Amino acid sequence: MTFAPQIKIPATYIRGGTSKGVFFNLTDLPEAAQQPGPVRDALLLRVIGSPDPYGKQTDGMGGATSSTSKTVILSKSEREGFDVDYLFGQVAINKPFVDWSGNCGNLTAAVGAFAISNGLVDKDSIPHNGIVTVKIWQVNIGKSIIAKVPVTNGEVQETGDFELDGVTFPAAEVEIAFVDPADDDGAMFPTGNVVDDFHVPGVGSLRATMINAGIPTIFIDAESCGYSGTELQDAINSDEKALAMFETIRAHGAVKMGLIGHIDEAATRQHTPKVAFVSPPADYTASSGKHIAKQDIDLNVRALSMGKLHHAMMGTAAVSIATAACIPGTLVNEAAGGGERSQVVFGHPSGTLKVGAQAEYHHGRWQVKKVIMSRSARVLMEGWVRVPADVLTP
């Protein structure tokens, strides 16, 4: 029997924020995968090592978590005023599925650096030393993002002293601004309320804030679902009943937010919406052993991604947190003590994060103009990924 040979595709493996992903220049992909569709999905699944019934992604580049099962396709933007188009694919671990329904805020930190290093940003806008402002068009959600990337001697500066909880080593700081991150097609609050009485079959009635800013997110009170809000990953991820409860909340919330028409569709939209539970500030010990004092944070937030409690915080969820925190009456705002604010510091399993937001009430509805946070990124490996050639004929 004759078997197909392997092919090699130029790729870069990058840490962005608290995530890792395989980055591609669109024009480097095989021609059949340069367009969206089953061939592209099959290629990315094979690159990452999915679907894997063992849940390890041993035969691919994935790291067997939602934070490390990610792909990015970048191209020089043809949209006026933008440098690069950014397309994100969240690859399922044990299913043959790539979710294109949302953005990855953490990997956004690496988009500008990749774009500069791979000739997607005009050389005339890159100083020999200084900051490059990279204008990014986020294709998945149709939104603008601005990244400020440091450059030294004409090259992207990756090393530095900026520390990000959830990342072991310091690196150079990259400031990211998510411009007008709320959904254009509907209200920021899809139900019309900043808080809903949300009945979930098999779970009960919960108060929930459902918001679409950065990424669709369902916020609930930690206490209402039996938690303190200071939990780390093992407390949730080792409890199958807890995971099933949160997935039920997520599925019914997706219907209530108008993201899907029937609860059965939730299985094909694993990346969105997110579910997060919030609580007032409290002392706890982060996963690194670092003590987090309640006086140093405004609230605690724990969020689930792809069915598991996230080890830190998704960047897009941080956008939702910042937006909801500055809007009076949301559960996030209440947990932070209420009132008006332009920024929030929240505790997550790996430590803390500060995020700023500009929101205003205009013509009877809330609008968020900008959300700003700092992240870092570092190239881990570059060269080629290899996959069997027959992956291009699924």
Side-chain angles (χ1 to χ4, degrees), residues 5-59:
Q6 288 221 100
I7 59 173
K8 61 181 186 180
I9 304 167
T12 308
Y13 194 47
I14 311 180
R15 175 191 65 76
T18 56
S19 292
K20 293 189 291 186
V22 183
F23 281 61
F24 299 94
N25 189 327
L26 176 65
T27 56
D28 287 335
L29 292 175
E31 187 175 353
Q34 291 185 20
Q35 301 296 325
V39 173
R40 174 184 285 180
D41 287 6
L43 172 65
L44 298 182
L45 283 161
R46 197 68 170 89
V47 166
I48 294 297
S50 295
D52 184 355
Y54 305 104
K56 302 298 183 183
Q57 292 178 326
T58 304
D59 199 22

Side-chain angles (χ1 to χ4, degrees), residues 18-283:
T18 56
S19 292
K20 293 189 291 186
V22 183
F23 281 61
F24 299 94
N25 189 327
L26 176 65
T27 56
D28 287 335
L29 292 175
E31 187 175 353
Q34 291 185 20
Q35 301 296 325
V39 173
R40 174 184 285 180
D41 287 6
L43 172 65
L44 298 182
L45 283 161
R46 197 68 170 89
V47 166
I48 294 297
S50 295
D52 184 355
Y54 305 104
K56 302 298 183 183
Q57 292 178 326
T58 304
D59 199 22
M61 297 294 293
T65 68
S66 67
S67 301
T68 55
S69 187
K70 299 185 173 188
T71 57
V72 170
I73 300 173
L74 299 179
S75 58
K76 193 171 183 63
S77 184
E78 296 182 358
R79 184 179 292 267
E80 186 176 355
F82 291 88
D83 299 300
V84 59
D85 288 346
Y86 162 35
L87 181 66
F88 168 68
Q90 177 75 56
V91 180
I93 295 170
N94 60 357
K95 297 178 181 179
F97 179 65
V98 181
D99 194 330
W100 301 100
S101 66
N103 178 29
C104 175
N106 275 299
L107 290 187
T108 299
V111 171
F114 182 97
I116 294 168
S117 299
N118 287 270
L120 301 178
V121 177
D122 290 337
K123 290 185 178 180
D124 292 344
S125 64
I126 303 173
H128 191 64
N129 292 284
I131 300 294
V132 181
T133 298
V134 182
K135 297 178 181 178
I136 302 164
W137 180 253
Q138 214 301 318
V139 179
N140 302 74
I141 58 174
K143 289 292 180 180
S144 172
I145 302 171
I146 298 173
K148 294 187 176 181
V149 182
V151 168
T152 301
N153 296 328
E155 302 288 337
V156 172
Q157 177 71 41
E158 295 181 289
T159 57
D161 58 5
F162 174 72
E163 296 186 355
L164 178 65
D165 284 342
V167 176
T168 305
F169 304 107
E173 182 178 2
V174 177
E175 183 184 286
I176 305 168
F178 298 84
V179 181
D180 188 25
D183 184 12
D184 283 335
D185 297 329
M188 186 190 303
F189 298 98
T191 66
N193 305 310
V194 295
V195 177
D196 285 284
D197 291 322
F198 179 33
H199 179 73
V200 182
V203 176
S205 293
L206 305 167
R207 295 177 71 226
T209 289
M210 302 181 189
I211 187 171
N212 196 346
I215 200 164
T217 306
I218 303 161
F219 291 105
I220 56 177
D221 283 315
E223 186 177 6
S224 68
C225 54
Y227 294 106
S228 67
T230 60
E231 286 77 12
L232 303 186
Q233 279 191 294
D234 285 349
I236 306 297
N237 293 345
S238 62
D239 187 342
E240 292 298 327
K241 289 185 177 179
L243 295 177
M245 176 189 71
F246 285 117
E247 178 57 22
T248 301
I249 293 170
R250 191 187 77 86
H252 284 276
V255 175
K256 195 170 180 65
M257 295 179 76
L259 299 173
I260 57 176
H262 190 276
I263 191 172
D264 293 342
E265 298 174 43
T268 62
R269 193 185 174 108
Q270 295 180 318
H271 182 49
T272 57
K274 303 301 187 189
V275 175
F277 53 99
V278 300
S279 63
D283 295 341

Side-chain angles (χ1 to χ4, degrees), residues 1-5 390:
M1 179 180 286
T2 302
F3 293 93
D390 58 8

